[in-house]
Amino acid sequence: MTRNPLDTVRGQLDFIGELAKIEPSVIEQLKNSRKVIEVSLPVRMDDGKVEVFTGYRVHYCSWRGPYKGGIRYHPTANLDEVKALAAWMTFKTAVVDLPYGGSKGGVICNPQELSIFELERLTRRYTSMICDDIGPFKDVPAPDVGTNAQIMAWVMDTYSTLKGYSVPEVVTGKPISLGGSYGREGATGKGLTICAKEAADRIGLTLKGATIAIQGYGKVGFSVAKNLAAMNAKIIAVTDIGGGVYDPKGLNISKLKAYEGEKGSVASFPQTKPISNEELFALKCDILVPAALENVITEQNADTIDAKMVVEGANGPTTPEADKILHEKGIFVIPDILANAGGVTVSYFEWIQNLNRDRWRLEIVNKRLEERMVNAFQVVYNLSKERAESLRTAAYILAVESLAEAHLKLGLFP
Ligand code: NAD
């Protein structure tokens, strides 16, 4: 049975609460969402029939600032998953010290089976139904699995139309022409690469020539592949929803992306061997990057992992039981709430630029991203050494202590 990610979140909070001696009522509040919105979305399909979809938006915690979190379009999206993802956003924005809380949205649908017109109508209907609950100072959505810059453009346009004026700062991850930030598209992968480099320096691994295996070749998987390949690392295996490819000599990242764009999957890319997810996880390599969905490294396969480092691109890819096994095996794990925070960091930069009606050059965005990620990595790493805990535990201690401190200063209403 698949593990409920919300149980994982609550377990993590109980553990950190005891370890860091956090006031139990703070932990209790952090185990629950502040507000849950469920919407039913009637959408006219291209054949004239009406189909009804279900969507969610979860406001998890806003102690450190407005709610912030992506929108996922996926057939298995569900409320507990959205809540867990919203919780992880809350911890992530605290770890990288962004003035945000955490939220998330989801619509149960398969975007690959919808036409572009159906996707647009679905997105506009969803936005119109959560319109009063999002806003530049309330809750700022962004892309996640199954959504992209075009979908964010429709969110912005629908919200702006309903308000009667243009509001680019209501959503991040927009196209550049609508106020999107340079560097947002590849920001999560860049952040993962910065963390991998920081970790590699500390465990004596050289990224040049290092072998990399990646699960997922979407926005995150491709951008981390591109960034690591630019540092002369060798991407030897990639899987996606349609299959996987392996080449011990190293895959050509851009040709693989062009092929995937055309065929819909990396599967059967010429001159490579096919590889399954399980084989990819068990592959001997230097760095393993899960960049698809949660709960993929479990107690069933954790023992087979033969990598020096796991860099979590996806949110919640490792179950707590598997995490323990990886720790015992001495594998260096960079946890999701630190490793993949580059995306929300550049989303924050986009929001600042929009609020100021400004545009930063790519070099400035990348420099500021690097500064923030290196700093966050150092803080988490030093805390992990100081307390003799894993990087994940240290990241959670940092997040929960910072949230508890904010809560203490805010006090309780009424
Ligand atoms: P995406 O939709 O662009 O890509 C998802 C990829 O996962 C696709 O290549 C898909 O084929 C693959 N996939 C799906 N099921 C799979 C399976 N069973 N086996 C192998 N591959 C499979 O999504 P994304 O934005 O790249 O997000 C990936 C992960 O990263 C998610 O967990 C997301 O929450 C997390 N994340 C994304 C961002 C961001 O900026 N987009 C930021 C932080 C974290």
Side-chain angles (χ1 to χ4, degrees):
M1 217 183 72
T2 324
R3 202 190 158 90
N4 181 334
L6 190 58
D7 291 340
T8 302
V9 168
R10 292 179 171 159
Q12 283 162 334
L13 282 165
D14 281 333
F15 171 65
I16 297 299
E18 252 179 54
L19 187 71
K21 300 191 174 39
I22 308 286
E23 158 73 38
S25 71
V26 169
I27 295 295
E28 200 49 38
Q29 291 182 72
L30 287 176
K31 280 161 97 175
N32 293 287
S33 322
R34 206 32 72 95
K35 186 172 184 180
V36 174
I37 303 147
E38 177 173 333
V39 289
S40 165
L41 311 166
V43 176
R44 192 166 302 283
M45 309 304 279
D46 291 347
D47 63 5
K49 293 195 184 114
V50 173
E51 234 179 83
V52 183
F53 297 86
T54 301
Y56 306 102
R57 187 78 192 164
V58 169
H59 288 176
Y60 204 84
C61 178
S62 64
W63 293 342
R64 302 186 70 265
Y67 297 106
K68 182 87 189 84
I71 302 172
R72 177 172 292 194
Y73 284 1
H74 197 271
T76 67
N78 62 77
L79 187 52
D80 278 358
E81 181 188 66
V82 178
K83 286 180 180 174
L85 290 165
W88 287 323
M89 283 306 296
T90 306
F91 308 141
K92 194 181 305 183
T93 52
V95 168
V96 280
D97 196 19
L98 302 175
Y100 281 138
S103 60
K104 204 81 181 192
V107 176
I108 307 171
C109 68
N110 186 348
Q112 279 163 337
E113 285 174 2
L114 298 175
S115 75
I116 186 97
F117 304 110
E118 290 166 342
L119 262 181
E120 178 173 357
R121 288 192 289 272
L122 173 72
T123 303
R124 289 187 183 280
R125 184 71 190 208
Y126 173 64
T127 309
S128 73
M129 293 187 75
I130 60 166
C131 180
D132 289 340
D133 289 291
I134 59 172
F137 304 107
K138 211 180 221 182
D139 178 13
V140 185
D144 190 70
V145 174
T147 57
N148 55 26
Q150 176 58 74
I151 290 174
M152 299 307 114
W154 293 326
V155 172
M156 172 192 161
D157 187 58
T158 306
Y159 185 87
S160 299
T161 305
L162 293 171
K163 291 286 163 195
Y165 52 93
S166 172
V167 194
E169 56 275 21
V170 67
V171 65
T172 59
K174 299 178 293 291
I176 303 285
S177 57
L178 295 178
S181 178
Y182 290 120
R184 172 61 184 89
E185 207 176 78
T188 308
K190 200 172 249 318
L192 289 171
T193 307
I194 294 167
C195 286
K197 165 86 174 61
E198 290 298 306
D201 289 348
R202 285 164 175 87
I203 64 166
L205 176 73
T206 313
L207 285 186
K208 187 172 176 207
T211 49
I212 320 285
I214 305 174
Q215 185 199 32
Y217 210 50
K219 296 182 289 296
V220 177
F222 171 61
S223 66
V224 71
K226 206 166 80 171
N227 280 287
L228 283 169
M231 299 181 84
N232 294 316
K234 225 168 23 164
I235 318 301
I236 57 168
V238 170
T239 56
D240 68 14
I241 187 93
V245 288
Y246 169 62
D247 181 354
K249 296 195 296 301
L251 297 155
N252 183 319
I253 292 316
S254 330
K255 283 193 180 153
L256 183 62
K257 190 65 190 170
Y259 176 89
E260 183 256 5
E262 198 186 307
K263 309 273 183 191
S265 169
V266 296
S268 311
F269 182 57
Q271 282 149 24
T272 60
K273 290 197 188 120
I275 189 170
S276 68
N277 276 327
E278 286 314 292
E279 288 165 339
L280 176 126
F281 285 127
L283 204 60
K284 187 175 173 53
C285 63
D286 291 312
I287 305 180
L288 173 66
V289 186
L293 296 171
E294 53 271 11
N295 288 334
V296 293
I297 303 179
T298 66
E299 55 190 329
Q300 270 78 46
N301 65 4
D303 208 31
T304 69
I305 290 180
D306 197 3
K308 297 195 177 85
M309 198 194 292
V310 172
V311 186
E312 295 185 340
N315 287 306
T318 312
T319 65
E321 298 77 21
D323 201 34
K324 210 163 152 250
I325 298 171
L326 298 183
H327 189 65
E328 281 160 11
K329 280 171 70 100
I331 297 174
F332 194 96
V333 179
I334 312 183
D336 48 4
I337 57 170
L338 168 65
N340 71 30
V344 69
T345 300
V346 177
S347 271
Y348 165 63
F349 295 162
E350 181 173 330
W351 184 68
I352 296 179
Q353 292 171 72
N354 294 160
L355 288 170
N356 289 307
R357 300 292 181 258
D358 195 3
R359 167 93 79 195
W360 303 352
R361 283 182 292 112
L362 178 62
E363 303 78 70
I364 300 212
V365 172
N366 284 340
K367 187 168 164 283
R368 290 183 180 171
L369 172 64
E370 175 139 17
E371 273 168 15
R372 283 200 175 249
M373 292 303 298
V374 168
N375 183 56
F377 187 93
Q378 269 168 5
V379 171
V380 173
Y381 184 81
N382 291 345
L383 190 64
S384 85
K385 289 283 156 213
E386 208 178 284
R387 309 250 180 130
E389 295 290 351
S390 69
L391 225 56
R392 186 182 320 273
T393 300
Y396 270 91
I397 293 175
L398 181 67
V400 175
E401 283 185 347
S402 131
L403 283 155
E405 170 73 14
H407 178 61
L408 188 72
K409 292 287 188 294
L410 285 170
L412 203 57
F413 175 86

